[in-house]
Amino acid sequence: MEEVITTDGVPRNVITVNDMFPGPTIEVVEGAQVVVKVTNKLLTEATSIHWHGLHMRGTPHMDGVAYVTQCPIMPRESFVYRFRAEPAGTHFYHSHLFTQREDGLFGAFIVHKAKHPIMPSVPVILHDWYHIDATPYWISNMFRIEYGGDGEYMLGAYERPFSQDGIKVSSRVFTSALINGRGRFGKNRAPLSTFIVASGGHVSFRIIHVGPDYPFRFSVDQHELTVTASDGYDMAPRSVQSVIIYPGESYDVQITGAVQPDLYWIRAQTLRTGHCSKCYPYDEVIVVPDDITEEVRAILQYQGVTPDRDPTTAKRNCSIENPCYVFNCPFAGYPKHLNTICINVNEAEAPNLPLEEDGQSKVIDNDHENSSNAEASDVTEIFLNFNFIIGSSINGRRFIGPTSPLHQNSTAATVSCDVEECLRSGCRCTHIIDIPYDKTIQLVMYNTFAPTSQTHHAVHIHGHAFQVVAMGYPTYNKTTGRYMQPNTDVKCKNDLCTDAAWRDGPPLLNLINPPLKDTVMVPANGYTVVRFRSDNPGPWFLHCHNDQHMNEGMALILQEAADRHPSPPKGFPRCGDFTWSSEEYQLSLEGNSRSGNSPRSQAVICVCVFTGSQQDVQTTALDINVLILSTVGGFLAMAIILAVAVYWIIKKREKAASVPLTVIAESVPLKRNRQI
Ligand SMILES: [Cu+2]
């Protein structure tokens, strides 16, 4: 059973890596040169692999975004990725070609700190899981950018799950979910993932959400979780009962085994609390709580306990005296009666790191991301809008990917954005934002335009980690938890709210010890402000990590220091559109007919001359006859072709002589008429 890929017990196609699902965990030491040879053994699908969380400093062509940094790897082809392992921490790899990640092409990628002892890694990979392949699901998507599908697998407005804040969790039918590739559908008895811990010992989970859509609230019954890092970056430890994880995020949590040895449930639950009784408009939704739980479980097993049954444990009660804490809420707080307190990511802190030998902290040493001392003039501020004013978009632009990677410099490969049109009515184009070299870039990612701010987003940036310097939440009703008014710090500058500014100047920014991340939640009716230093030239993809939103167009390319991009390695594959004219076609035929036969004839002669065995001599005799016949035939054919060519040239000259006369005769009077 250990070697059977059981997923949630329901048969379907799965993409495996080295015959494994999830793919094998790659573990390397910080600073190492990593070499991964990817061979595409899919029958008819291309692929490309993104190393999520690794910064590809100096090697942007290894970032693995199909059509942005490289051509897709075609079936039977291989591609060698080579890059530096940085930064240390919990990362993952996954396909970056449309929806392929959803079918199983992912695995954990752990970079161990070079100056620390290597600790055992326990990846805990979360994934919402569906029973149809991602491609037919995508084809049916109503909001697909090329052609809208029939929406067969989408939930109608009155069926959608909502969290208690009145925000839609997803419009996708929740089917099931997996932890390290295992789960149970309905009440079936498919095997679950089991994690073994010593009594009194502790275990460090590296939780990674590789899934396409539903965020999860992760907890272990009767155990506290100490959050120590996110997206690979250490944080000042916080003890909580659960942590909410969005697609693309990772969290390191320590679990101390100080309780009764037993079997305990590990739970990853969606944020659903109910459905809507009034569903439109989106800012007036009424949520009715229901008892539908959408979740996946795994088992924490203490050494010495026989795993001959399911755990019987329950979650800890949250009381006024002993409230529960939740890390990374997408909203400001829970309803009062739940005795549950949010710790939002902007309240997390980078740890007080001891200085390294060179006198700098690890954060500065590793990534140059620390911009707390930046002069105001050194900050380039960019507002990015994540509402659904024209569907999944950023600043009113739905992203159309290039048809060849940007380093090929083909203007035909991109669709340029008409800025006026984009601001006025929204547009579809290859949205590229140029950012200058070696500046502090401040992105204000806002989603404050009700009623089109229908959901929270998890925004991931390639090539960088960033400081989370501020987050703004809507006001909310502390009794019900329902949001009341969107945050007002950001002021819309146009009708679609796709251009904006601060209403009364920027909010208070945490520039002292902000947490570092590479994927961050942008709350509905709120905003998130992040900063990074533009010292890593490359075309970096920025997108919502909800697969559906990304593929519908919630993405763009940060063209960082365009004049400083490294060249791709020698022989780097090229791809893109191809076309040729009728004249080129004719020339090609003529060229081929003049030179095409001679190399082959020579090859035949070579074979004839240099073969030596008895059998070969007979063959040679036969070939000489063939050669004489083909030579005579060849001369005849040449004579015919020559005659036809002479005839064709004479005809063409006659025709060429007449055509310009006709054109002039027609065009001159026409122009005169227009002038009159
Ligand atoms: Cu999104």
Side-chain angles (χ1 to χ4, degrees):
M1 186 58 84
E2 286 305 311
E3 295 189 2
V4 178
I5 294 169
T6 51
T7 65
D8 63 350
V10 178
R12 58 153 288 181
N13 293 325
V14 177
I15 297 177
T16 60
V17 183
N18 294 1
D19 296 333
M20 293 164 73
F21 174 74
T25 298
I26 297 175
E27 294 193 59
V28 297
V29 176
E30 187 180 14
Q33 180 187 142
V34 182
V35 188
V36 186
K37 182 179 181 182
V38 175
T39 305
N40 181 359
K41 294 190 174 179
L42 296 163
L43 295 177
T44 58
E45 281 183 55
T47 192
S48 71
I49 308 295
H50 170 54
W51 315 93
H52 183 115
L54 287 103
H55 294 175
M56 300 295 143
R57 194 171 288 276
T59 55
H61 310 96
M62 299 291 112
D63 196 41
V65 184
Y67 299 111
V68 174
T69 61
Q70 71 168 93
C71 302
I73 308 165
M74 301 306 283
R76 302 178 62 225
E77 285 181 354
S78 70
F79 184 100
V80 173
Y81 290 92
R82 197 178 285 270
F83 53 88
R84 185 178 153 89
E86 64 162 357
T90 304
H91 311 297
F92 65 111
Y93 60 91
H94 64 82
S95 166
H96 217 302
L97 183 60
F98 286 106
T99 55
Q100 203 170 52
R101 180 178 101 237
E102 301 179 25
D103 287 331
L105 213 175
F106 52 76
F109 195 112
I110 311 299
V111 181
H112 294 278
K113 290 175 185 171
K115 293 175 184 170
H116 293 74
I118 290 177
M119 302 294 287
S121 294
V122 187
V124 179
I125 299 176
L126 309 182
H127 192 226
D128 44 324
W129 185 244
Y130 304 89
H131 291 160
I132 54 162
D133 295 359
T135 299
Y137 176 81
W138 176 238
I139 289 169
S140 78
N141 183 310
M142 291 165 72
F143 307 114
R144 201 153 58 90
I145 204 155
E146 303 91 350
Y147 305 101
D150 60 7
E152 183 183 354
Y153 306 106
M154 288 184 82
L155 290 164
Y158 284 80
E159 302 164 311
R160 292 175 184 172
F162 282 77
S163 43
Q164 92 285 328
D165 55 343
I167 296 298
K168 181 184 72 177
V169 179
S170 174
S171 52
R172 189 167 184 157
V173 181
F174 181 86
T175 306
S176 66
L178 309 175
I179 294 179
N180 285 0
R182 290 178 164 194
R184 286 177 181 168
F185 181 64
K187 291 191 163 50
N188 76 19
R189 302 287 303 159
L192 297 174
S193 292
T194 300
F195 302 88
I196 299 169
V197 60
S199 288
H202 63 259
V203 60
S204 289
F205 283 159
R206 297 174 180 269
I207 312 167
I208 309 165
H209 192 334
V210 303
D213 197 309
Y214 278 82
F216 289 108
R217 183 174 166 185
F218 180 92
S219 63
V220 182
D221 285 357
Q222 307 298 324
H223 287 70
E224 281 200 347
L225 315 176
T226 305
V227 181
T228 58
S230 179
D231 302 346
Y233 287 92
D234 289 343
M235 289 177 165
R238 302 295 283 257
S239 280
V240 296
Q241 274 59 54
S242 56
V243 55
I244 293 173
I245 304 178
Y246 272 77
E249 287 190 298
S250 82
Y251 285 91
D252 291 3
V253 299
Q254 279 199 359
I255 294 162
T256 304
V259 289
Q260 188 70 25
D262 201 347
L263 301 171
Y264 293 87
W265 282 127
I266 296 171
R267 302 170 196 261
Q269 299 182 322
T270 74
L271 303 188
R272 179 191 183 112
T273 55
H275 57 276
C276 53
S277 60
K278 179 175 188 243
C279 303
Y280 283 109
Y282 285 109
D283 51 346
E284 292 172 20
V285 162
I286 297 173
V287 177
V288 181
D290 56 32
D291 57 359
I292 297 173
T293 302
E294 297 165 333
E295 67 169 4
V296 56
R297 295 187 188 187
I299 297 167
L300 185 72
Q301 176 195 338
Y302 277 80
Q303 273 175 359
V305 178
T306 313
D308 55 355
R309 57 181 171 82
D310 276 349
T312 54
T313 54
K315 291 167 91 169
R316 156 159 108 61
N317 277 334
C318 312
S319 61
I320 297 172
E321 302 77 34
N322 199 9
C324 297
Y325 290 86
V326 182
F327 198 80
N328 193 34
C329 299
F331 32 73
Y334 279 89
K336 199 174 174 190
H337 71 275
L338 293 178
N339 301 313
T340 300
I341 297 165
C342 282
I343 301 174
N344 297 108
V345 157
N346 59 309
E347 297 172 68
E349 296 162 351
N352 291 321
L353 289 170
L355 294 181
E356 305 263 332
E357 287 158 17
D358 58 4
Q360 292 192 314
S361 79
K362 180 243 176 191
V363 170
I364 299 168
D365 185 26
N366 193 40
D367 265 301
H368 314 282
E369 308 288 4
N370 191 317
S371 57
S372 53
N373 298 322
E375 298 288 326
S377 60
D378 195 39
V379 176
T380 301
E381 189 173 51
I382 302 168
F383 282 75
L384 298 177
N385 175 291
F386 285 83
N387 71 33
F388 283 124
I389 191 77
I390 60 154
S392 294
S393 57
I394 302 177
N395 285 2
R397 295 152 171 90
R398 291 185 70 185
F399 183 78
I400 295 177
T403 54
S404 63
L406 295 190
H407 70 267
Q408 290 188 203
N409 275 330
S410 166
T411 48
T414 57
V415 180
S416 60
C417 298
D418 179 334
V419 177
E420 287 296 309
E421 183 202 351
C422 298
L423 285 173
R424 189 177 60 248
S425 54
C427 58
R428 299 171 178 206
C429 59
T430 310
H431 190 181
I432 299 174
I433 295 180
D434 277 296
I435 54 175
Y437 180 64
D438 207 24
K439 299 282 179 199
T440 294
I441 308 298
Q442 178 160 303
L443 302 180
V444 182
M445 304 191 285
Y446 67 103
N447 186 13
T448 50
F449 191 51
T452 60
S453 311
Q454 297 157 24
T455 194
H456 315 292
H457 301 284
V459 179
H460 174 53
I461 302 180
H462 293 217
H464 284 279
F466 45 73
Q467 298 172 322
V468 183
V469 294
M471 287 174 98
Y473 289 88
T475 56
Y476 79 108
N477 181 321
K478 292 192 167 59
T479 307
T480 62
R482 171 78 161 75
Y483 97 88
M484 292 162 68
Q485 293 295 326
N487 187 290
T488 57
D489 292 353
V490 173
K491 181 180 72 178
C492 298
K493 286 169 71 175
N494 65 349
D495 290 347
L496 303 186
C497 200
T498 52
D499 193 13
W502 294 114
R503 189 176 302 277
D504 300 310
L508 190 62
L509 304 176
N510 175 12
L511 302 178
I512 308 296
N513 58 352
L516 278 161
K517 282 177 68 62
D518 61 45
T519 307
V520 71
M521 198 269 310
V522 176
N525 302 300
Y527 62 83
T528 300
V529 186
V530 303
R531 277 188 175 198
F532 63 90
R533 192 77 188 166
S534 56
D535 58 357
N536 187 16
W540 304 119
F541 212 35
L542 180 158
H543 60 97
C544 180
H545 222 276
N546 177 307
D547 231 22
Q548 201 164 307
H549 296 172
M550 178 186 78
N551 288 309
E552 287 169 3
M554 194 169 268
L556 57 77
I557 296 167
L558 288 176
Q559 185 81 295
E560 180 172 336
D563 55 341
R564 289 171 178 261
H565 287 193
S567 299
K570 198 164 166 255
F572 198 68
R574 292 176 67 86
C575 55
D577 300 329
F578 170 72
T579 183
W580 58 332
S581 67
S582 174
E583 285 75 18
E584 287 166 325
Y585 166 73
Q586 287 295 347
L587 278 172
S588 166
L589 285 187
E590 288 164 24
N592 285 342
S593 65
R594 271 199 298 274
S595 61
N597 286 334
S598 52
R600 189 175 292 171
S601 310
Q602 283 173 1
V604 172
I605 290 164
C606 287
V607 171
C608 296
V609 171
F610 293 108
T611 48
S613 70
Q614 188 69 27
Q615 199 180 349
D616 288 339
V617 170
Q618 286 172 7
T619 313
T620 307
L622 271 172
D623 281 347
I624 287 168
N625 289 335
V626 172
L627 188 64
I628 292 166
L629 278 172
S630 61
T631 307
V632 173
F635 275 120
L636 278 172
M638 289 284 280
I640 292 165
I641 289 167
L642 205 63
V644 171
V646 168
Y647 176 76
W648 180 74
I649 289 165
I650 290 167
K651 278 286 175 192
K652 197 179 175 187
R653 279 185 178 169
E654 283 172 3
K655 206 174 173 183
S658 63
V659 168
L661 280 176
T662 315
V663 171
I664 290 167
E666 282 174 4
S667 63
V668 172
L670 255 176
K671 276 187 179 173
R672 279 179 185 160
N673 285 342
R674 277 183 190 155
Q675 283 169 359
I676 290 162

